[in-house]
Amino acid sequence: NAGVTQTPKFRVLKTGQSMTLLCAQDMNHEYMYWYRQDPGMGLRLIHYSVGEGTTAKGEVPDGYNVSRLKKQNFLLGLESAAPSQTSVYFCASSFGYRVEAFFGQGTRLTVV
Amino acid sequence: AQTVTQSQPEMSVQEAETVTLSCTYDTSESDYYLFWYKQPPSRQMILVIRQEAYKQQNATENRFSVNFQKAAKSFSLKISDSQLGDAAMYFCAYSLQGAQKLVFGQGTRLTINP
């Protein structure tokens, strides 16, 4: 049972570089989320998706793009990384808003 | 704005004692669900307890229970007989039928003193 898998687990980027974080879930969940976690800020929603082919902005979407081409995958892209994007990123998925979300192990991203 | 607020950045409790973590939220919707998640040092997010807003009865899961005050928009978590393994960050969250997204508070770091 893989659950929610995030790739990579750690990454260091230079300012201006681009990268894509991959989230894969094997539970046939409709909803998928990307959060960032910063000290004292809790988990802030970046983007989310309520089904294949759909995406929506969360609380802090600037500087990020997402795609949900396949139901099981949710990609988070940083086109031009900035030091302010240094954070721990979590992906989560669920069957819907009524039930619990399952989380990946997180990706620690450092932008220097 | 739809928000979740945890006013206690840190809490500590003696082992075997009881502790209550506070959470307030703001929404005008009537259909929503409330959650408490635990994040131990491993960073893994774990569901502790869930409450449906339409239910008046407070949810309980073994040593964990909530005090859900709908009119006051308050959703506190009580941990009884605290154990060393309860030490973690605790996050309050809600999900709304209309917004269809899961929104978290800032978190409370709980320390258990032996």
Side-chain angles (χ1 to χ4, degrees):
Chain A
N1 259 352
V4 180
T5 303
Q6 291 182 230
T7 309
K9 290 184 171 48
F10 302 92
R11 184 72 185 269
V12 178
L13 282 181
K14 293 183 178 180
T15 298
Q17 286 185 319
S18 63
M19 78 164 294
T20 300
L21 280 67
L22 171 62
C23 178
Q25 53 95 1
D26 61 2
M27 296 172 282
N28 202 33
H29 285 167
E30 290 291 338
Y31 287 36
M32 296 188 75
Y33 309 87
W34 274 109
Y35 294 90
R36 59 178 290 173
Q37 183 177 14
D38 304 289
M41 305 292 286
L43 276 78
R44 292 182 293 169
L45 183 63
I46 304 171
H47 286 281
Y48 65 105
S49 169
V50 299
E52 181 179 316
T54 73
T55 62
K57 294 181 179 180
E59 304 165 82
V60 289
D62 293 343
Y64 305 95
N65 57 76
V66 289
S67 65
R68 183 98 182 269
L69 299 179
K70 293 183 178 180
K71 186 176 184 179
Q72 63 268 33
N73 296 336
F74 195 29
L75 279 62
L76 178 70
L78 286 73
E79 290 187 349
S80 179
S84 61
Q85 294 177 304
T86 293
S87 188
V88 178
Y89 291 84
F90 284 95
C91 176
S93 70
S94 73
F95 278 117
Y97 73 97
R98 293 186 176 90
V99 296
E100 74 172 295
F102 292 82
F103 284 78
Q105 289 279 30
T107 296
R108 181 174 294 279
L109 175 66
T110 302
V111 183
V112 297
Chain B
Q2 295 163 332
T3 59
V4 179
T5 303
Q6 294 178 249
S7 59
Q8 306 153 315
E10 297 182 351
M11 293 281 285
S12 63
V13 64
Q14 291 295 125
E15 192 176 3
E17 297 293 307
T18 295
V19 64
T20 298
L21 308 183
S22 301
C23 174
T24 58
Y25 59 93
D26 184 23
T27 180
S28 57
E29 296 197 24
S30 59
D31 183 9
Y32 56 91
Y33 293 76
L34 298 161
F35 306 86
W36 278 98
Y37 283 85
K38 169 184 177 180
Q39 186 183 44
S42 67
R43 224 163 59 184
Q44 181 64 47
M45 295 286 285
I46 303 164
L47 179 70
V48 175
I49 202 164
R50 167 180 169 269
Q51 173 81 43
E52 297 96 329
Y54 63 86
K55 285 190 177 179
Q56 292 187 339
Q57 185 175 6
N58 290 324
T60 62
E61 287 288 341
N62 301 313
R63 298 182 295 107
F64 298 87
S65 62
V66 299
N67 183 5
F68 175 44
Q69 301 289 327
K70 190 171 184 177
K73 296 181 181 177
S74 170
F75 182 59
S76 60
L77 175 69
K78 185 172 83 171
I79 306 174
S80 304
D81 186 25
S82 298
Q83 300 175 0
L84 295 177
D86 295 334
M89 283 288 289
Y90 286 82
F91 291 98
C92 177
Y94 71 180
S95 62
L96 312 174
Q97 189 275 334
Q100 295 183 326
K101 58 185 179 181
L102 183 61
V103 178
F104 284 83
Q106 305 92 323
T108 296
R109 182 174 301 280
L110 178 64
T111 302
I112 312 295
N113 300 313

